[in-house]
């Protein structure tokens, strides 16, 4: 699967944090077996980072020279409505 530069940037930009979450969960849009050993430690790091930054949700993209290997969403895009972050969701930055 090939991504355009715009799609890769879009996946990366979506990794923006908002406000705190009391519930932590994640959802994978892509998963690569060669990165299985680091997925659990990475999820643990993201959970503590989100708590420290008071973030309700974010999207994280893991890529290498072969392309996007994993796109994972964490938490909520709207905590009041209990809406989970979706992989294709865009975040306002700045």
């Amino acid at each position: 699967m090939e991504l355009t530069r715009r799609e890769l940037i879009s996946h990366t930009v979506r990794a923006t944090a908002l406000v705190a979450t009391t519930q932590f969960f994640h959802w994978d849009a892509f998963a690569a077996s060669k990165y299985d050993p680091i997925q659990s430690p990475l999820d643990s790091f993201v959970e503590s980072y989100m708590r420290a930054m008071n973030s309700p949700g974010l999207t994280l993209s893991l890529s290498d020279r072969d392309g996007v290997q994993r796109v994972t969403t964490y938490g909520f895009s709207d905590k009041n409505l209990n809406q989970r972050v979706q992989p294709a969701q865009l975040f306002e930055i700045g």
Side-chain angles (χ1 to χ4, degrees), residues 23-66:
Q23 238 181 346
F24 179 79
F25 62 88
H26 73 276
W27 184 83
D28 286 321
F30 296 87
S33 61
K34 70 181 180 180
Y35 291 105
D36 282 346
I38 67 163
Q39 289 183 14
S40 182
L42 181 60
D43 292 337
S44 296
F45 171 78
V46 171
E47 179 181 2
S48 24
Y49 179 82
M50 286 175 61
R51 291 187 196 288
M53 298 305 290
N54 200 23
S55 170
L58 61 91
T59 300
L60 179 72
S61 177
L62 175 64
S63 60
D64 62 14
R65 69 175 60 186
D66 297 323

Side-chain angles (χ1 to χ4, degrees), residues 1-11 68:
M1 174 181 187
E2 282 193 38
L3 289 177
T4 65
R5 181 172 181 230
R6 171 174 258 157
E7 289 169 330
L8 182 59
I9 291 171
S10 174
H11 285 301
V68 175

Side-chain angles (χ1 to χ4, degrees), residues 63-81:
S63 60
D64 62 14
R65 69 175 60 186
D66 297 323
V68 175
Q69 300 299 321
R70 181 183 189 209
V71 176
T72 309
T73 62
Y74 301 86
F76 298 99
S77 61
D78 188 327
K79 191 174 176 185
N80 293 332
L81 298 175

